[in-house]
Every structure is written in structure tokens, then in C-alpha cells.
């Protein structure tokens, strides 16, 4: 059996722009992507903390150090500049690998600069 576990998370980032006319996706500062191991065009799950919207799209690398978090295409209707997001990826792990997995998490400030990089350590697993 395989389990789907959190692989990476960018926590509490701020939307910097919304581009309805763009073809789709979410643009994310490349430094944030690299910090947690998300690759361009990887599927991401996005949660808008301000309005409760949840959606799935793919990541596009924005200029490194720009702080950009931009909703593109239809996703641009799901948040506005200043809203807080949580961006997550998931991966499949077999029963033996799952207990050893540690998701990579980056916490950012209001300008989407990294304030903390950590790994979640599973608790209560035997």
C-alpha cells in the first residue's frame, strides 16, 4: 500500500498579484520553490486563509528574490492581493518509507521572505 503524505509547504505567504488574463497556474518566487523542493510545473494545492478557497494548479517559477506569489488565469478569481496562502505538495510513499518522511516547510514574512525553514517530524508513529 502507498500513502499520500505532505511533501512540501510554503506557509503564510502573501498574494502579490492576480493576473486573470494569464493562461493559468501560480507564480512563486524561485527561492521559495527551491527552499522546499517544489519544481516548476509541479502540482500544488493552494489554500486561501482569508476566504477559505482551496484549489489545485501548478507552480511556475517567478524571479528569485522577488517575493512574487501571483495567482494566474482562473485562479486569479480565488484571491486578492494581500490574502494569505498556504501552498502544499504531496507525494506517494510506501509503508516502509512513510514513517521516515519529513515534509519540508518554509515560513515567510509579509514580503514573502524566508523567516524559517524546517522539517516536520512525525509524532506518534511506531
Amino acid at each position: 500500500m502507498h500513502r499520500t503524505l505532505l511533501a512540501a509547504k510554503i506557509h503564510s505567504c502573501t498574494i502579490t498579484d492576480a493576473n486573470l488574463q494569464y493562461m493559468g497556474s501560480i507564480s512563486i518566487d524561485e527561492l521559495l520553490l527551491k527552499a522546499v523542493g517544489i519544481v516548476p510545473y509541479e502540482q500544488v494545492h493552494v489554500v486561501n486563509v482569508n476566504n477559505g478557497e482551496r484549489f489545485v494548479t501548478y507552480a511556475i517559477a517567478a524571479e528569485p528574490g522577488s517575493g512574487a506569489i501571483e495567482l494566474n488565469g482562473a485562479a486569479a478569481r480565488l484571491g486578492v492581493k494581500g490574502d494569505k496562502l498556504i501552498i502544499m505538495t504531496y507525494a506517494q510513499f510506501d509503508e516502509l518509507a512513510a514513517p521516515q518522511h519529513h515534509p519540508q516547510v518554509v515560513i515567510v514574512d509579509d514580503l514573502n521572505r524566508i523567516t524559517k525553514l524546517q522539517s516536520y517530524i512525525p509524532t506518534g508513529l511506531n
Side-chain angles (χ1 to χ4, degrees):
M1 175 176 22
H2 284 87
R3 296 189 181 267
T4 303
L5 304 178
L6 178 69
K9 179 165 79 165
I10 301 170
H11 189 77
S12 199
C13 57
T14 304
I15 297 174
T16 59
D17 202 1
N19 306 301
L20 187 59
Q21 300 308 315
Y22 192 85
M23 291 182 68
S25 74
I26 184 170
S27 300
I28 303 170
D29 181 324
E30 187 176 14
L31 294 179
L32 298 177
L33 294 177
K34 287 183 177 182
V36 293
I38 297 173
V39 298
Y41 310 110
E42 183 172 357
Q43 183 183 87
V44 293
H45 293 238
V46 182
V47 177
N48 185 322
V49 176
N50 292 80
N51 64 20
E53 291 286 352
R54 301 176 72 95
F55 58 95
V56 177
T57 188
Y58 60 93
I60 291 180
E63 171 119 12
S66 66
I69 301 288
E70 301 172 354
L71 299 182
N72 300 312
R77 297 224 183 256
L78 303 176
V80 297
K81 188 174 180 178
D83 281 0
K84 294 290 187 180
L85 302 180
I86 301 169
I87 302 169
M88 300 164 284
T89 62
Y90 296 87
Q92 298 284 315
F93 296 87
D94 66 30
E95 290 290 318
L96 295 175
Q100 283 74 44
H101 172 66
H102 305 291
Q104 296 302 303
V105 180
V106 66
I107 299 170
V108 300
D109 64 15
D110 289 337
L111 299 175
N112 297 325
R113 295 177 300 207
I114 297 171
T115 61
K116 186 174 185 181
L117 181 61
Q118 66 186 48
S119 293
Y120 282 163
I121 306 299
T123 57
L125 297 177
N126 294 322

